[in-house]
Amino acid sequence: KVDDDIRVLIEETKEAEKHHKKELKDLNSKFHTIRSKFQSLDQRISKVSHTAVRTGQQLEAVDKNRRKTEAGKKMIRQFLEFNTGDSHKFDPIFRDFSDLNRLKTAA
């Protein structure tokens, strides 16, 4: 009787091992699939982040050019106002000069 029980247990163990190996194989396959999908997702996220960085850099460059352009426009406007001699358009710091020659010298 003990020998029969041992044989039954050995058979059950072999079946359990087969089942376990099959489960491990399935899990390993699923793991590789998930890993592959994760790598693909990671690459896409990386690509998007690099694109966002480049877009940000381009926006900064455009904003810098816009600020330079605005400063240039302001300087030209001030020069034209100064050139006309109309002291009412000047910045308040220049309005204190009553003599136009002193004003031009100060500028």
Side-chain angles (χ1 to χ4, degrees), residues 1 5 12-13 23 30 34 40 43 50 56 58 60 64 72-73 75 80 100-102 105-106:
K1 165 118 172 100
D5 288 343
E12 288 175 355
T13 303
E23 270 190 47
K30 288 177 183 178
I34 291 170
S40 175
Q43 289 171 351
H50 289 315
Q58 290 172 348
E60 286 177 357
K64 184 177 179 181
K73 286 166 125 180
M75 186 171 63
L80 291 174
L100 190 55
N101 287 331
R102 280 185 58 207
T105 303

Side-chain angles (χ1 to χ4, degrees), residues 24-81:
L24 284 177
K25 188 177 178 181
D26 290 343
L27 288 173
N28 193 29
S29 175
K30 288 177 183 178
F31 171 76
H32 286 292
T33 300
I34 291 170
R35 187 172 140 233
S36 174
K37 287 180 180 181
F38 177 79
Q39 286 175 336
S40 175
L41 177 63
D42 187 50
Q43 289 171 351
R44 289 188 310 204
I45 289 171
S46 180
K47 184 179 177 183
V48 168
S49 67
H50 289 315
T51 301
V53 168
R54 281 195 318 269
T55 301
Q57 290 170 340
Q58 290 172 348
L59 288 173
E60 286 177 357
V62 167
D63 185 56
K64 184 177 179 181
N65 286 337
R66 184 195 57 80
R67 283 185 275 127
K68 283 183 179 181
T69 301
E70 288 297 320
K73 286 166 125 180
K74 183 178 178 182
M75 186 171 63
I76 290 170
R77 187 174 43 254
Q78 288 174 346
F79 174 76
L80 291 174
E81 290 171 359

